[in-house]
Amino acid sequence: MKGTLPIWLERFLGLDAAESGEGTIWRLDYHWPLAPWLTLVAAAVLAALIALFYLREAGAARRTVRLALVAMRLSLVGILCFMIAQFALSLERTGLPYLVFAVDDSASMGTEDRYDDAQIRSAAQQQARAGGFDTATRLHLAKSLLLADDGELVRDAARRYKVRLYTLSDAARGEPGEPRELLDRLRQLEPNGQTSRLGQGIRSILNDLRGAPPSAIVLFTDGINTEGESLADAAAYARRKGVPLFTVGLGNERPNRDLVVSDLLVDDVVFVDDVVNFEFKLTGHGFEQKRVDVVLHVKNDPAPLSKTTVVVGPDGESQKVRISYRPTVVGDFDYVVEVPSRPEESQADNNQQERVVSVRKEQIRVLLVQSYPSYEFRYLKHLLERDTTIKLSTLLQEADPGYAEIDQSALRSFPVRREELFAYDVLIFGDVNPTFLGRGVMRNVADFVTEKGGGLVCIAGRRFMPAAYRDTPLASLLPVEFDGASAGQPIVGRAEGFQVSPTDLGLASPTMQLGDSLEQTREIWSNLPPMYWMFEVAKLKPAVRVLAEHPSRSGGDGEKLPLVSLQYVGAGKVLFHAVDGTWRWRYRVGDVFLARYWVQTVRYLSRAKLLGKDRTAELSTDRREYRRGEPVKLRVRFTDERLAPAEDDGVAVVLEQEGRNNQRLQLRRLSSGRGVFEGVFSDLPQGRYHAWIAAPALTGGAPAADFLVTAAPGEFERIEMDAAELQRASAETKGRYFTLATARDLKRSLPEGRQVPIETLQPVVLWDKWPLLALFLALLAGEWVLRKRHAMV
């Protein structure tokens, strides 16, 4: 037997008064040796015998007197049994039931969701402001629900329950406290947890309060569980404990939408009026097949310098994007490539990247050499002479001796001395007769390219270039393969013309940018006047980059015949033209496209002239911090391309981490530039890393870069709210699931709860109390008197 002890009885028993919200429950304890069924049988037999004895006993007593005697004798037996059983009153002090507020403080709760529904977005912002927060992150919303109206939800709960506040992330942590203390703790919460262990946290709470299970657990979370026991398993455990889960889902159920701009690549130094390509990677989440704008502008000046539209690819997949711009002003500019953020994006600070580019205007020294006065030579000579950024010298091998006296740019002979030749930045060889040069001069030309890093253009001709150079010192510079089969043969007198068709690699090259955008460039190339002569190259050397090809004619290997090819040789570059009719591009448009192509080509080949001498190369990573499992991309850029190795895998990087063996990685040259190499480290353990360039050996110390690899990306691998899991957990435990809109119903939905024992009081022994003994003696005396009076003694 048990129940609640009335206050008057507490006073009668001398118990201390209970505090507010407390009470006292009682339970009768006894010690009886017989089984209950045997006790009942014995009591029935004894009662029957007593009744039979008194009813049949001789004497003049009436029946009512005899029944009174039976009752008195049975009461005496009952009191005697009560004493033998040693009845006592066990007492327990009870208090308010527990109620747990559990708040998820893992890193994903720091997400500020972008809701498509304007009403939901407005409601989230209003709720955040009600709690005193400027941003509506998930944790801010959880805190505002508890802090709003001076913490009314917590204060009201404290009047009906003993409230505990737990935080759930890496481990469940909680303490009791007064409402003011709990609210102060709540204000200090930050989303710093590296993992979400909701299931393990719920189990820990139930184990902490196993002596007094809470009336309910109110869980504020986005439902993301990254480690340990699942929320469903913890809900099953809570159901067995009889504890309902009231879950408040925070966040957006739809995957967060985001656009990320990364890996921006652009030259540090460029010529004014050259096309500059800004190449980067665009990664979309939730924008598949959507059209987005890409804008280039100067930092702190939103006016667009260039703009293009991109169709976003599959979610999570990076796509290469290029936006071009032709700077017209000299100076150092901090350019920003940006995809304008959209309201529905979860993050707006990853939509842009910036780079400082130095735009310069330098005069380039060019030497144009030709055997006879072809159309290509004539138009190219007049074109380059008119450009103020180019100081042109020319040599026409078959010209009259007096030609050099009437032409200011003409030389009497090819520069013989090495220092004279090295004063030039670019050499343009048309159909040059090698016998007029001599092997010593040609060796100087080879050194001009390989050692000085100068640029060389070779234009195929009908007489000499390139066939006559098979066994000369310049053979190693030309992209044509002379070994074995013939170098090729000229194709002349074709009635039908053919277009110069840029390759994808060519469209990415600075030399081929005839328009201000990729689309314009492609269209201009497709509409240029046709060529009618070419040199058919039978075979190219390995690693030669084909920038343009014949639109339909193929060679013996099945590849389209190359028309424009680029080769890196030593520190320099060699550009080979298998056609000599670029002058035809003047038809109906003048020098517009001819000048643009040749000036850009000259500037590209002389780009090393722009670079400073204070640094040779730089090593960089695409980010400073990575999550474990993410690839780490290393990039080496040679500020002076002449110092870049000739081999495409000629750069090696060593990666160091304390306590581990060093790792070595060969980087490969990118197609976008001779001086840019890239490589990737995968599956690196957590820790800090130091990377440095091991090869080639560079003066002034090896460039280095540091980065950090942190824990696995569990918290942000999936950041959309798991509403389904929260709903199942609430249904399993007979609780309720709330959204941000319905959370106002939480207060009146909480169960009443049961008083819980908080203290065991000293038991009250009943069997040896004097009133019981007095009653026993009184009954015994009364029975004797009654029997005596009615002559039954």
Side-chain angles (χ1 to χ4, degrees):
M1 291 182 62
K2 64 180 181 179
T4 302
L5 204 65
I7 297 178
W8 65 266
L9 190 53
E10 288 183 2
R11 295 172 180 168
F12 176 78
L13 295 175
L15 301 177
D16 294 334
E19 296 182 4
S20 176
E22 294 182 351
T24 307
I25 59 173
W26 59 271
R27 184 183 68 253
L28 280 177
D29 289 336
Y30 57 90
H31 303 283
W32 187 254
L34 299 180
W37 67 271
L38 186 58
T39 301
L40 289 175
V41 171
V45 171
L46 183 60
L49 290 175
I50 292 174
L52 182 63
F53 174 79
Y54 276 106
L55 292 175
R56 292 183 176 273
E57 187 177 0
R62 296 190 301 273
R63 188 177 183 86
T64 55
V65 173
R66 293 177 181 274
L67 291 175
L69 289 171
V70 170
M72 295 175 72
R73 179 54 59 96
L74 289 175
S75 297
L76 288 169
V77 172
I79 292 173
L80 184 61
C81 292
F82 187 85
M83 293 179 176
I84 294 173
Q86 299 181 1
F87 271 81
L89 196 64
S90 294
L91 303 174
E92 287 184 315
R93 186 74 77 193
T94 60
L96 293 173
Y98 283 107
L99 178 70
V100 172
F101 288 119
V103 180
D104 182 359
D105 63 337
S106 62
S108 66
M109 291 291 287
T111 303
E112 184 177 4
D113 295 272
R114 306 288 181 175
Y115 299 96
D116 296 334
D117 191 317
Q119 291 184 342
I120 297 178
R121 187 164 59 248
S122 176
Q125 293 169 349
Q126 290 178 5
Q127 182 62 61
R129 286 194 292 269
F133 303 104
D134 295 329
T135 57
T137 67
R138 296 174 182 179
L139 184 58
H140 284 169
L141 292 174
K143 293 163 71 172
S144 66
L145 289 171
L146 293 167
L147 293 172
D149 299 325
D150 195 28
E152 176 58 26
L153 179 60
V154 175
R155 295 180 188 278
D156 178 76
R159 288 189 284 269
R160 296 187 289 154
Y161 308 92
K162 279 191 173 181
V163 178
R164 284 202 174 200
L165 176 64
Y166 278 82
T167 56
L168 303 178
S169 55
D170 302 321
R173 303 175 301 278
E175 295 177 3
E178 295 298 320
R180 183 185 300 275
E181 298 172 344
L182 298 180
L183 294 175
D184 288 342
R185 284 182 52 207
L186 190 64
R187 292 186 182 95
Q188 297 172 6
L189 286 185
E190 296 294 337
N192 295 327
Q194 296 302 309
T195 58
S196 294
R197 300 179 179 178
L198 300 182
Q200 183 175 326
I202 296 299
R203 182 178 290 271
S204 296
I205 293 172
L206 294 173
N207 289 338
D208 283 350
L209 304 175
R210 57 182 174 271
S215 298
I217 297 177
V218 183
L219 177 61
F220 297 84
T221 180
D222 53 17
I224 298 173
N225 191 74
T226 59
E227 288 187 14
E229 184 179 12
S230 70
L231 189 58
D233 292 339
Y237 182 64
R239 178 180 54 81
R240 293 194 297 271
K241 293 285 188 180
V243 179
L245 298 181
F246 290 79
T247 58
V248 182
L250 301 170
N252 197 343
E253 294 182 63
R254 299 183 60 181
N256 271 8
R257 307 178 73 181
D258 197 18
L259 292 167
V260 181
V261 174
S262 62
D263 296 352
L264 177 60
L265 182 63
V266 65
D267 290 319
D268 294 331
V269 185
V270 298
F271 282 105
V272 68
D273 293 323
D274 266 1
V275 170
V276 182
N277 291 324
F278 295 80
E279 295 185 351
F280 62 95
K281 289 182 180 178
L282 177 64
T283 308
H285 299 275
F287 289 94
E288 185 172 353
Q289 296 304 309
K290 300 290 185 182
R291 299 176 69 86
V292 298
D293 292 331
V294 179
V295 178
L296 174 71
H297 62 87
V298 176
K299 189 175 181 179
N300 299 325
D301 183 0
L305 302 174
S306 182
K307 186 176 181 180
T308 187
T309 302
V310 178
V311 177
V312 182
D315 282 355
E317 292 188 13
S318 298
Q319 62 187 109
K320 287 186 178 181
V321 181
R322 185 171 81 223
I323 186 170
S324 302
Y325 171 61
R326 195 182 297 275
T328 58
V329 180
V330 175
D332 293 335
F333 299 94
D334 193 350
Y335 290 110
V336 178
V337 174
E338 179 179 13
V339 177
S341 61
R342 300 191 171 197
E344 63 268 31
E345 282 193 75
S346 59
Q347 290 180 273
D349 58 353
N350 56 3
N351 285 46
Q352 65 179 37
Q353 286 204 336
E354 60 185 73
R355 292 289 186 274
V356 175
V357 178
S358 180
V359 182
R360 300 183 188 175
K361 186 175 183 179
E362 301 273 349
Q363 193 169 49
I364 306 166
R365 296 199 62 188
V366 178
L367 175 59
L368 173 62
V369 186
Q370 172 73 12
S371 178
Y372 50 88
S374 65
Y375 283 112
E376 190 81 338
F377 172 80
R378 293 172 183 175
Y379 283 108
L380 187 53
K381 174 181 180 297
H382 295 310
L383 168 68
L384 297 179
E385 281 179 333
R386 291 193 299 270
D387 193 293
T388 58
T389 65
I390 295 175
K391 182 176 177 56
L392 179 67
S393 300
T394 63
L395 176 64
L396 191 60
Q397 291 177 320
E398 297 180 5
D400 294 334
Y403 173 69
E405 297 179 1
I406 61 175
D407 192 321
Q408 293 183 350
S409 67
L411 300 179
R412 292 181 180 275
S413 62
F414 193 90
V416 176
R417 297 173 57 190
R418 181 185 175 96
E419 55 270 21
E420 291 178 352
L421 180 63
F422 277 36
Y424 291 97
D425 301 304
V426 177
L427 305 180
I428 302 178
F429 274 27
D431 202 13
V432 178
N433 187 344
T435 59
F436 285 6
L437 297 177
R439 298 187 69 86
V441 170
M442 285 189 281
R443 277 194 292 269
N444 285 343
V445 172
D447 292 343
F448 169 83
V449 175
T450 58
E451 296 179 13
K452 179 183 184 294
L456 173 64
V457 181
C458 295
I459 305 173
R462 293 164 173 80
R463 300 182 188 177
F464 309 107
M465 181 66 72
Y469 289 84
R470 175 189 294 270
D471 297 319
T472 69
L474 297 186
S476 61
L477 302 184
L478 297 173
V480 178
E481 185 66 79
F482 287 102
D483 295 337
S486 64
Q489 58 183 354
I491 301 173
V492 297
R494 298 186 65 86
E496 71 279 5
F498 58 89
Q499 297 288 137
V500 176
S501 178
T503 62
D504 291 340
L505 187 60
L507 290 173
S509 173
T511 66
M512 308 288 282
Q513 307 304 308
L514 300 187
D516 292 335
S517 67
L518 179 61
E519 293 74 17
Q520 288 182 6
T521 296
R522 186 179 283 112
E523 182 180 359
I524 291 171
W525 277 104
S526 65
N527 292 314
L528 288 177
M531 301 285 179
Y532 293 92
W533 182 92
M534 67 172 290
F535 184 90
E536 181 178 347
V537 178
K539 185 180 180 182
L540 291 173
K541 292 178 180 177
V544 171
R545 288 159 169 77
V546 178
L547 305 184
E549 60 192 9
H550 195 285
S552 59
R553 190 177 178 87
S554 300
D557 57 0
E559 299 290 336
K560 299 286 183 62
L561 290 176
L563 300 182
V564 181
S565 305
L566 178 68
Q567 178 177 231
Y568 297 109
V569 184
K573 311 181 190 74
V574 178
L575 188 71
F576 178 74
H577 275 209
V579 293
D580 70 343
T582 61
W583 58 273
R584 297 180 182 275
W585 294 344
R586 300 180 69 256
Y587 182 65
R588 291 184 175 178
V589 294
D591 288 340
V592 175
F593 301 126
L594 181 67
R596 183 165 290 183
Y597 173 78
W598 277 108
V599 171
Q600 288 176 170
T601 297
V602 168
R603 289 177 174 178
Y604 175 70
L605 294 176
S606 64
R607 187 158 289 178
K609 181 183 180 72
L610 297 176
L611 301 173
K613 310 300 181 184
D614 56 332
R615 56 194 179 110
T616 56
E618 61 182 8
L619 172 63
S620 62
T621 57
D622 56 335
R623 298 207 302 274
R624 293 292 186 185
E625 184 172 319
Y626 300 84
R627 298 285 186 179
R628 184 171 182 177
E630 291 181 335
V632 177
K633 185 176 296 183
L634 298 176
R635 178 182 292 136
V636 171
R637 179 194 291 272
F638 288 87
T639 54
D640 186 347
E641 292 185 353
R642 295 172 298 178
L643 299 176
E647 300 82 5
D648 283 348
D649 60 349
V651 174
V653 171
V654 171
L655 187 65
E656 299 177 346
Q657 185 191 20
E658 186 175 353
R660 295 181 180 272
N661 295 329
N662 293 348
Q663 301 183 53
R664 188 181 180 94
L665 176 68
Q666 297 294 134
L667 276 59
R668 296 198 63 84
R669 193 192 318 271
L670 295 184
S671 60
S672 56
R674 181 183 190 277
V676 182
F677 293 75
E678 203 170 83
V680 175
F681 278 106
S682 301
D683 300 325
L684 292 176
Q686 289 179 231
R688 296 189 176 276
Y689 290 86
H690 177 74
W692 53 276
I693 299 176
L698 301 172
T699 59
D706 298 306
F707 60 91
L708 174 68
V709 177
T710 59
E715 271 301 293
F716 294 99
E717 189 172 6
R718 173 183 175 232
I719 59 175
E720 59 266 26
M721 178 182 66
D722 196 345
E725 183 74 0
L726 296 176
Q727 290 170 353
R728 283 192 293 269
S730 295
E732 171 81 8
T733 59
K734 302 187 183 307
R736 183 178 170 186
Y737 169 74
F738 297 89
T739 64
L740 187 62
T742 61
R744 60 180 178 273
D745 299 329
L746 175 61
K747 183 167 68 173
R748 56 177 174 268
S749 300
L750 296 175
E752 289 299 325
R754 301 182 301 272
Q755 292 274 324
V756 295
I758 58 175
E759 181 185 7
T760 300
L761 302 178
Q762 186 71 26
V764 178
V765 178
L766 300 178
W767 66 271
D768 65 347
K769 295 294 183 180
W770 66 263
L772 186 63
L773 180 60
L775 178 61
F776 182 85
L777 294 175
L779 289 172
L780 189 62
E783 181 188 12
W784 186 85
V785 170
L786 197 59
R787 287 175 61 86
K788 183 72 174 176
R789 189 171 178 180
H790 292 86
M792 297 179 68
V793 176

